[in-house]
Amino acid sequence: MIDIDRKPIETDVLIMGGGIAGLMAGIRAAGLGASVVIAEKANTRRSGCGATGNDHFMCYIPEVHGSDIGPIFEEYRRSQVGGFSDASLAMLFLRQSFDRVKDWEEWGISMRPWGHWDFSGHAFPGRPRVWLKYAGHNQKAVLTRKAKETGARIINRLQMTDVITQGGEIVGAIGISTRKEEPVMKIFRAKCVILATGCGSRLYPPPSPGWLFNTANCPVCTGSGQAIGYRAGARLVNMEFPQRHAGPRYFGRCGKATWIGLYKDPQGRIVGPFVKKADKKLGDITGDIWSSVFTDKHRSGEGPVYMDCSTTSDEDFQYMMWGLVQEGNTGMLDYMAREGIDPRKHMVEFMQYEPFLVGRGIEIDEKGETCIKGLFAAGDPVGNFRADCAGAATYGWIAGESAAGRAGRIRKFQTAEKGPLVEESQDFYGRILDRGQG
Ligand SMILES: Cc1cc2nc3c(=O)[nH]c(=O)nc-3n(C[C@H](O)[C@H](O)[C@H](O)COP(=O)(O)OP(=O)(O)OC[C@H]3O[C@@H](n4cnc5c(N)ncnc54)[C@H](O)[C@@H]3O)c2cc1C
């Protein structure tokens, strides 16, 4: 049995998930005067895939790249994030990305730690570089503070489970609060809902059975947004193409493009075709566009594949170590220090991690809206656009703006709390909680 709090919470815009996309949506919608609730399963100050930091922000900066956006668009398409995106959404993203960079810098995230726009890593030799290197270790704290200052209400430890629709339009949502010993179901009346619940991890078997929480992505992002959208009738796309990220073996994701060195086989031969000399400007893009190289070489008997930093210059090595901190990989750095592992002397074995869903899921239009009126999505759960943290920031902003606009045109809240979904949910989650085991 689970109790229901029968007094609905009314809000113009309800945002499910307080990651990068959710907080950016909240900041924009509240800034435009909408009442906003951000319902977050964990705590927005340290939640989601950007919890402990990121260090690359894909963007187009005209003063660096020139006035022709075309080559940057091409580069985006060839990158590890661009292949499945709708062209119109990608172009809109690139055009707005610099505005989000400037916002973040103004709010206190260091987007040019060396005083200039520094594009490095994830790069092909001789082609434009599109990933801005930034200091993202404090990004969640900064965005949380900004969302609160702007007037968004954040409710932590509230796991959202469904949206409520009437006549094909959003009227509310259901969630389960775990703030107290006994969970309580909460009902929302909302004019718009934004699904910003991040990627879908832990849906596929991990590399070994003991790895359930040592995942390549945030372990609590389990594809809720895609599931909620699907149950409500939203269109999902590209679901048949899960991703596999790669990085240091046994470290459930601790940088890939952040490392500066060369991928080598056990005989010391360079594995990829792109770089012959370690260079911070490029990184080694082999791991981005051929992430199965680590599995392929292992299976063919030519592996494992290692990251070799022995020829990386001192300056580039310091830059790499700084980047690993900004990306939040301090657990691995502590481990290496404790065990006396020095990447300049010891090659570090890399592996491909378990599959997950990112940029695979809910189809949106250029306003961030799904095919259901009043239901929006942004960030990793979107299926026809992907640009990771920069994409989450940009489409979070767009969805927040669109949702605030729509909410402003709707005069009153609908009674969401009376429908059958509420009773069905109470029964379903009550039965799970009442289980004696399992
Ligand atoms: C180690 C690592 C390094 C990375 N480095 C980079 C990088 O350098 N550059 C880059 O572009 N990208 C990077 N990424 C990816 C980037 O972090 C994500 O693309 C980005 O965080 C996506 O933002 P989001 O808002 O969509 O999802 P998230 O930031 O993951 O936020 C989703 C939020 O939803 C919450 N949530 C989930 N389900 C529910 C629910 N049912 N109810 C309520 N809340 C829910 C989660 O707790 C979380 O707070 C990295 C990822 C990892 C794991």
Side-chain angles (χ1 to χ4, degrees), residues 70 96-97 149 157 171 176 197 219 234 266 269 311 340 370 380 419:
Q96 296 197 8
S97 56
E149 277 171 14
R157 293 180 58 192
V171 294
I176 297 177
T197 50
R269 291 177 301 216
T311 58
T370 71
D380 284 354

Side-chain angles (χ1 to χ4, degrees), residues 224-278:
S224 300
Q226 287 97 326
I228 291 169
Y230 177 73
R231 285 197 293 272
R235 261 196 304 272
L236 303 189
V237 293
N238 290 324
M239 293 290 282
E240 64 275 44
F241 303 108
Q243 299 287 107
R244 290 189 71 182
H245 211 276
R249 190 167 187 84
Y250 303 128
F251 274 96
R253 191 160 181 181
C254 279
K256 175 165 57 71
T258 309
W259 289 78
I260 300 166
L262 299 167
Y263 291 124
K264 289 194 177 160
D265 69 12
Q267 280 71 43
R269 291 177 301 216
I270 295 174
V271 164
F274 300 107
V275 284
K276 301 284 172 242
K277 186 174 175 304

Side-chain angles (χ1 to χ4, degrees), residues 5 7-11 37 153 155 158 186-190:
D5 181 351
K7 189 164 177 288
I9 302 170
E10 290 189 348
T11 182
V37 170
R153 178 181 170 200
I155 307 180
L158 176 53
K186 298 276 183 189
I187 315 292
F188 285 86
R189 291 179 178 178

Side-chain angles (χ1 to χ4, degrees), residues 14 65 81 113 149 232 243 256 285 290 382:
L14 170 65
H65 295 117
V81 296
E149 277 171 14
Q243 299 287 107
K256 175 165 57 71
I285 202 167
W290 181 19
V382 168

Side-chain angles (χ1 to χ4, degrees), residues 15 51 61 70 74 78 106 135 156 184 225 227 250 252 284 320 389 391 433:
I15 299 164
I61 300 187
E74 277 309 308
R78 291 168 200 240
E106 189 190 320
N156 287 316
V184 179
Y250 303 128
D284 188 343
M320 172 183 112
C389 67
L433 287 170

Side-chain angles (χ1 to χ4, degrees), residues 75-118:
E75 216 49 37
Y76 164 79
R77 300 288 277 183
R78 291 168 200 240
S79 75
Q80 66 171 4
V81 296
F84 289 76
S85 299
D86 286 357
S88 59
L89 298 184
M91 198 53 110
L92 183 63
F93 154 70
L94 285 174
R95 289 196 191 288
Q96 296 197 8
S97 56
F98 188 32
D99 289 335
R100 302 295 75 81
V101 169
K102 287 185 280 189
D103 286 342
W104 280 24
E105 173 141 284
E106 189 190 320
W107 301 340
I109 302 168
S110 179
M111 302 304 285
R112 42 182 162 181
W114 296 277
H116 62 279
W117 305 120
D118 177 36

Side-chain angles (χ1 to χ4, degrees), residues 16-22 39-44 47-58 122 131 134 139-140 158-161 196-199 216-218 220-225 228 252-255 258 327 329 358 378-381 387-392:
M16 297 188 177
I20 293 174
E40 164 58 44
K41 191 177 187 176
N43 185 311
T44 64
S47 66
C49 286
T52 53
N54 297 145
D55 68 328
H56 283 104
F57 193 104
M58 155 89 69
H122 293 287
W131 292 89
Y134 78 107
Q139 61 191 12
K140 289 303 306 288
L158 176 53
Q159 170 169 345
M160 299 309 298
T161 56
T197 50
C199 65
N217 292 279
C218 173
V220 307
C221 294
T222 51
S224 300
I228 291 169
R253 191 160 181 181
C254 279
T258 309
E327 207 184 15
N329 302 322
V358 59
D380 284 354
D388 290 10
C389 67

